[in-house]
Amino acid sequence: MKILLQHMLPKQRLTALAGRIAGAEGGPVTTRLIRWFVRTYAVDMSEAADADVRSYASFNAFFTRPLKAGARPITGADFACPVDGAISQFGAIDDHHIVQAKGHRFTTTELVGGDATLAARFRHGSFANLYLSPKDYHRIHMPCDGTLLRMIYVPGTLFSVNPTTARGVPNLFARNERVVCVFDSPDHGPFVMVLVGATIVGSMATVWHGVVNPRRAHGASQWDYAGRDIVLRKGEEMGRFLLGSTVVMLFGRGVIAFDDGWQPERPVRLGEPMGVAPTG
């Protein structure tokens, strides 16, 4: 019934409304909304750089709040977890297929917006799908050093991306709106970070561009950053969600051996070990 309701809801209009509310500076009304959200979702404000909910002019400012310095130490392992959240699925890319949930798969080509040449670089590689719940810290950081090569905005629908929907909506991550960020690592080769939109996700932003989708387009857009020397180090912020969603990462073949402690549905935190480069 929850999935059927999502098919029926005017998701684009709801998302636009949520975006306007989240961006509004409503004084005491905004503060009451934030207090309700903190209470309802058990948000741990002790980790925030500013724990006083009255200091946030808008809900978006609260939702994308920075953490205290040192709150998330970055591992010395080759790959660091880029977000606070939970593991949806991870593992090997079967030829060019990624597991969304039991019984559901989608292709890397679909995920990156139809670019078969880009997708081919990750054939038989590895993937990880990480879900951010409403209570989580919503800035996204780098899993390893990378030089930005391209960014692709892919319009799409706006289903929720929670675990229930992931189990019930085929091709969920490859049909929702998304921002595909293509990097090259000096040590690990090409990798992709895909920011997946969802119902009431007001927008997605990157540190080099700002808000990518202030007005939702009907066609894909691309930006070429080759030669611009935009280099981000492991653990640095690369983007954020204005309301929560999912990050999908793609790595090349033989690039990453995931941490032994990783398993589906396990909570994860920014900076913890995600994996190492295989030896031999």
Side-chain angles (χ1 to χ4, degrees), residues 64-134:
T64 60
R65 63 197 176 278
L67 296 174
K68 289 178 180 176
R72 296 290 186 275
I74 304 301
T75 180
D78 296 314
F79 298 92
C81 180
V83 295
D84 283 5
I87 302 166
S88 295
Q89 295 288 334
F90 73 100
I93 297 171
D94 178 11
D95 191 7
H96 59 285
H97 287 91
I98 299 173
V99 176
Q100 173 180 301
K102 186 176 181 180
H104 293 303
R105 302 197 304 168
F106 58 94
T107 70
T108 52
T109 302
E110 292 170 327
L111 178 69
V112 301
D115 188 333
T117 301
L118 173 61
R121 305 183 77 176
F122 305 100
R123 188 177 182 190
H124 297 298
S126 301
F127 76 95
N129 306 335
L130 304 179
Y131 167 68
L132 287 70
S133 72

Side-chain angles (χ1 to χ4, degrees), residues 1 8 28 49-50 86 93 125 129 140 200 206 229 237:
M1 288 298 296
M8 297 171 62
D50 187 347
I93 297 171
N129 306 335
I140 308 153
I200 74 168
T206 63
D229 199 31
E237 181 185 347

Side-chain angles (χ1 to χ4, degrees), residues 151-272:
M151 182 171 72
I152 308 163
Y153 167 72
V154 185
T157 187
L158 291 167
F159 284 100
S160 168
V161 292
N162 63 40
T164 298
T165 312
R167 290 190 294 268
V169 178
N171 280 34
L172 175 63
F173 302 141
R175 66 196 292 183
N176 267 21
E177 176 184 65
R178 54 207 180 276
V179 175
V180 181
C181 305
V182 184
F183 295 93
D184 185 65
S185 166
D187 298 315
H188 311 297
F191 67 96
V192 165
M193 299 182 72
V194 182
L195 284 55
V196 182
T199 311
I200 74 168
V201 175
S203 55
M204 296 169 279
T206 63
V207 297
W208 58 84
H209 182 92
V211 175
V212 179
N213 53 339
R215 294 183 178 178
R216 290 184 156 86
H218 295 292
S221 300
Q222 295 197 45
W223 294 262
D224 184 359
Y225 296 98
R228 297 273 296 276
D229 199 31
I230 299 176
V231 179
L232 298 173
R233 304 299 181 188
K234 183 175 73 174
E236 288 186 351
E237 181 185 347
M238 61 78 63
R240 61 187 68 175
F241 288 115
L242 282 72
L243 302 182
S245 194
T246 287
V247 175
V248 180
M249 290 175 287
L250 304 180
F251 299 97
R253 185 173 189 172
V255 166
I256 183 172
F258 287 103
D259 189 84
D260 290 340
W262 272 41
Q263 58 184 345
E265 300 185 9
R266 174 185 178 270
V268 291
R269 282 162 69 94
L270 166 66
E272 73 171 44

